[in-house]
């Protein structure tokens, strides 16, 4: 299959899994959040309001918006995102297997089924073109300390925490990326300017209503889980969401600084 064909297969699969990262609303359409007003998702997002401001001020995102982010830095981010998705897929499958509501089981099952397609297409369509590393060299790349820490955090909660708390660990990957995606597209002065952007294809690939719908579905499940949970569990859900939001900040920062382990194994 050609790269174009693979990319066309890649986009709908992504829409079922990942947050609403980029989207361009029609003229005159007023955007609203992909989560219900007054719900637990909104409460969780409000609790990290300061962090969300700091995320949008990060050099990685500022330079991405301006189109000045170096290809090497962008490729490093994509490589770490590739490694993250590989482990994230296991968390999604675990959430499907352990689901305590039919809604959660259906949504996470679909996400888990599609993650392999997403990971493979991401590797093929972006890393092959942007990375200076060969395919063989990329297979040997380690997850950064932040990437490893983030996925370990999610997998530990999946194994040992209440289901609602484990679900909370995946939510900032939806909601914060949804918000960041809107912010990035709002900084494009025109369609023509976006056409000339060096990462326009990546921005448009991560765009579309499907991403926002995926965020809305996940937020709806999160809200319902919280509504049925005890006060103690809801408090754990909120703390977990906040920690996962920290990892989102750290992930972009680690990509920008080319974070590596301070000592090699060998």
């Amino acid at each position: 299959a050609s790269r174009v064909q693979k990319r066309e297969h890649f986009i709908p699969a992504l829409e079922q899994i990942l947050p609403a990262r980029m989207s361009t609303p029609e003229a005159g359409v007023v955007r609203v959040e992909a989560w219900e007003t007054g719900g637990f998702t909104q409460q969780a997002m409000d609790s990290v309001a300061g962090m969300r401001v700091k995320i949008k001020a990060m050099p990685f995102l500022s330079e991405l918006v301006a189109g000045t982010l170096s290809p090497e830095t962008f490729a490093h981010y994509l490589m770490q995102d590739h490694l993250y998705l590989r482990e994230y897929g296991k968390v999604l499958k675990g959430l499907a297997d352990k689901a305590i509501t039919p809604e959660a089981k259906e949504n996470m099952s679909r996400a888990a089924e599609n993650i392999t397609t997403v990971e493979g297409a991401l590797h093929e369509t972006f890393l092959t073109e942007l990375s200076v590393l060969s395919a063989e060299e990329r297979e040997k790349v380690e997850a950064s300390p932040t990437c490893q820490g983030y996925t370990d955090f999610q997998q530990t909660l999946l194994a040992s925490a209440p289901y609602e708390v484990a679900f909370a660990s995946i939510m900032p990957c939806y909601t914060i990326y949804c918000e960041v995606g809107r912010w990035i597209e709002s900084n494009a002065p025109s369609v023509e300017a976006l056409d000339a952007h060096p990462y326009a294809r990546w921005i448009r690939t991560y765009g579309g209503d499907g991403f926002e719908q995926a965020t809305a579905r996940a937020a709806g499940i999160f809200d319902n889980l919280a509504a049925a949970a005890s006060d103690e569990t809801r408090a754990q859900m909120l703390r977990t969401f906040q920690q996962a939001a920290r990892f989102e900040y750290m992930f972009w920062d680690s990509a920008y600084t080319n974070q590596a382990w301070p000592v090699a194994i060998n």
Side-chain angles (χ1 to χ4, degrees):
S2 70
R3 284 183 179 176
V4 171
Q5 290 172 323
K6 289 181 179 180
R7 181 173 179 270
E8 289 173 347
H9 181 59
F10 170 48
I11 293 173
L14 272 174
E15 290 175 348
Q16 302 301 323
I17 301 171
L18 297 180
R21 296 191 177 181
M22 315 290 168
S23 53
T24 305
E26 296 178 4
V29 174
V30 178
R31 284 275 179 171
V32 296
E33 281 79 7
W35 44 89
E36 291 293 330
T37 300
F40 191 77
T41 302
Q42 183 185 36
Q43 178 185 342
M45 284 292 278
D46 288 348
S47 77
V48 295
M51 198 183 309
R52 288 154 56 197
V53 172
K54 291 179 180 178
I55 284 173
K56 285 180 279 190
M58 296 181 77
F60 182 94
L61 290 175
S62 297
E63 292 180 19
L64 177 62
V65 169
T68 59
L69 187 68
S70 74
E72 293 80 12
T73 299
F74 191 60
H76 177 70
Y77 160 75
L78 290 175
M79 185 70 241
Q80 290 301 313
D81 201 37
H82 164 81
L83 295 172
Y84 171 81
L85 286 176
R86 189 168 64 187
E87 300 305 311
Y88 183 69
K90 299 174 185 177
V91 176
L92 296 177
K93 184 179 186 306
L95 288 171
D97 292 342
K98 295 185 174 186
I100 59 177
T101 68
E103 180 188 23
K105 185 173 185 64
E106 179 183 359
N107 190 279
M108 293 297 103
S109 293
R110 178 166 49 182
E113 288 170 2
N114 286 330
I115 195 69
T116 300
T117 302
V118 173
E119 180 200 358
L122 185 69
H123 182 280
E124 176 66 22
T125 59
F126 294 122
L127 285 172
T128 300
E129 297 178 9
L130 292 174
S131 179
V132 297
L133 302 177
S134 67
E136 293 75 16
E137 289 171 327
R138 290 197 298 272
E139 287 299 319
K140 299 176 183 178
V141 172
E142 286 187 295
S144 69
T146 292
C147 181
Q148 186 74 54
Y150 197 0
T151 56
D152 284 354
F153 169 71
Q154 293 171 324
Q155 290 167 347
T156 297
L157 290 171
L158 178 65
S160 61
Y163 183 85
E164 299 91 338
V165 177
F167 199 95
S169 74
I170 70 164
M171 282 306 300
C173 189
Y174 282 95
T175 56
I176 289 180
Y177 262 103
C178 178
E179 182 173 68
V180 167
R182 292 173 184 158
W183 177 74
I184 290 177
E185 66 86 12
S186 71
N187 277 274
S190 64
V191 173
E192 291 75 18
L194 186 56
D195 287 340
H197 196 287
Y199 304 123
R201 187 177 59 161
W202 181 84
I203 293 173
R204 288 199 166 105
T205 297
Y206 280 82
D209 291 340
F211 294 102
E212 190 154 330
Q213 291 165 8
T215 301
R217 287 193 296 270
I221 295 169
F222 193 46
D223 287 349
N224 291 339
L225 290 172
S230 67
D231 290 345
E232 180 182 357
T233 297
R234 279 194 293 274
Q236 289 180 286
M237 293 169 72
L238 186 60
R239 288 194 298 271
T240 296
F241 183 98
Q242 291 164 344
Q243 183 61 27
R246 277 179 170 168
F247 274 118
E248 290 294 329
Y249 177 98
M250 292 166 63
F251 198 94
W252 277 307
D253 184 66
S254 66
Y256 189 75
T257 60
N258 197 19
Q259 184 189 58
W261 294 93
V263 61
I265 293 175
N266 295 323

